[in-house]
Amino acid sequence: MMRIVVLLFLAVLFSGFVVTAILAGTSGEWVWWILVVLTGLLVLLGIRDLLQKKHAILRNFPIVGHARYLFEFIRPEIQQYFIERNTDGRPFNRDTRSLIYARAKGADSHKAFGTELNVNEVGHEYLLHSAAPVAPATTQHRVRVGSSQCTQPYEISLMNISSMSFGSLSANAVLAMNKGAQMGEFVHETGEGGLTKYHLEYGADLFWEIGSGYFGCRTAEGRFNPETFAAKAKHENVKGITIKLSQGAKPGLGGVLPAAKVTEEISAARDVPMGVDCISPASHAEFSTPRELMHFVAKLRELSGGKPVGIKFCVGSRTDVMAICKGMLDTGILVDFITIDGAEGGTGAAPLEYEDHVGAPLTEGLMLVHNTLVGAGLRDEIRLAAAGKVANGSDIIKRLIQGADFTFSARSMMMATGCIQAQQCHTNHCPVGVATQNKRLMRALDVEDKGHRVYNYHRLTGSSGLRV
């Protein structure tokens, strides 16, 4: 938004000089005084630049040095709209984003004239087709989630909405996703920010994520509150529980929502006080070993009335994965599903070191967990989910081949809701109202329209017959 303001200001300033010069030749000498004032302002700006000591460029190149900061300010837009090729953009390239937008609108998402990719490039991935293809399925394929210790198993879609909290997302974004999930009969995972009224508004099936802050089911001291959890977990729309150990955006790192951003709604949803930083610790207080984790899983399954309980993490040490399997074998307690979050995932804001260099990519993490479960004799009981840049049918099939049973998607669902990849999620200035609590910005997001777009995107990508 500020970039637009700066551009408009410069455009108005330039236009003012041009118009003033024209008027000066037709309307008398008084008009020249406008140019005198503008020139005087530029002289004052130049003197200020020469005297200040903060910016070396402005000190050496007064006035014109501001052009450097202007172009740096609008660089992301220039890069995205004028320089990037269809296959170059990051985190999602233009082709992928165009596909999501088209499917969300129910428009034609096909392309003509062949692939733009270099299919002979080292690392290029492709799927091998059959000489005897079958007709697309007419009904949505579903996967049964629930081990032999689960009394309320759930049949889940191949593609679902991944964890994104209210607070990170706007109320309208959560509502639109919830509406789309209800229409398409797929799961809307809540994120660790709590089970809110917005997640319950349209009656979509939910997986309630419990993070280290135990938001929505915590005591005043920040510990787990079993009574509050039991009351909410037995809600008919809650179909499963996810214990978040870590996430792809920032594995091994907790989070802080500054006190200034804790609104009354967020305070109520997370059971945290106003005027105090909302802390999400790096680790859980209720368990510290794999065996203790399994006992916590059993506790949540009992309190929820036998609903599926799983764990979510970005793979780090291989020893940790093996220790979790050993914990299940030693205690005899099974998790019902495991969600593997790839290091390439990440709707949450994080330090660049964590985004770029910490955690295993989804392919390595998923295959490691799958093979470890097979080796421990646990794979038949436990379902695997994959989360991390799942955007189209080939992404889903790729993860199924690597060992997953179903998938979760976050950023592509944001795009279906209107996200333009502005990468302003952490600033509260999301220009389309998806990742902000600014009421003026979020009002632009129409829940009815975007809810149908989320539904369309899922229907044309992860529902009846994958569009590969």
Side-chain angles (χ1 to χ4, degrees), residues 58-72:
L58 296 182
R59 196 171 173 87
N60 286 332
F61 304 97
I63 301 177
V64 295
H66 287 278
R68 184 260 184 188
Y69 297 101
L70 168 65
F71 289 122
E72 186 179 61

Side-chain angles (χ1 to χ4, degrees), residues 95-174:
D95 276 347
T96 299
R97 290 165 54 203
S98 296
L99 177 145
I100 295 171
Y101 297 145
R103 289 182 179 174
K105 296 173 184 176
D108 185 5
S109 62
H110 295 83
K111 290 194 68 174
F113 224 62
T115 180
E116 296 179 20
L117 300 176
N118 179 4
V119 298
N120 294 311
E121 183 180 15
V122 175
H124 174 73
E125 296 178 337
Y126 54 92
L127 301 173
L128 299 177
H129 61 289
S130 170
V134 298
T138 57
T139 58
Q140 184 174 170
H141 180 77
R142 307 190 78 88
V143 177
R144 187 181 180 87
V145 178
S147 67
S148 57
Q149 298 174 358
C150 174
T151 59
Q152 293 193 55
Y154 176 74
E155 303 285 335
I156 196 169
S157 173
L158 283 180
M159 185 184 194
N160 306 276
I161 299 174
S162 193
S163 303
M164 292 178 284
S165 304
F166 166 63
S168 296
L169 297 187
S170 69
N172 285 3
V174 174

Side-chain angles (χ1 to χ4, degrees), residues 12-65:
V12 170
L13 185 63
F14 177 76
S15 301
F17 273 110
V18 174
V19 171
T20 303
I22 294 173
L23 290 176
T26 60
S27 302
E29 295 183 359
W30 66 270
V31 178
W32 287 105
W33 284 105
I34 298 177
L35 286 177
V36 170
V37 171
L38 292 175
T39 302
L41 291 174
L42 287 177
V43 170
L44 291 175
L45 176 62
I47 294 173
R48 174 187 174 275
D49 289 344
L50 286 170
L51 296 178
Q52 60 84 37
K53 300 179 180 179
K54 186 176 181 180
H55 302 289
I57 287 180
L58 296 182
R59 196 171 173 87
N60 286 332
F61 304 97
I63 301 177
V64 295

Side-chain angles (χ1 to χ4, degrees), residues 243 245 286-298 311 324 335:
I243 303 170
L245 305 181
E286 299 302 311
F287 56 85
S288 58
T289 68
R291 292 184 183 87
E292 291 176 353
L293 169 60
M294 293 308 124
H295 288 297
F296 189 62
V297 167
I311 57 176
I324 289 173
V335 298

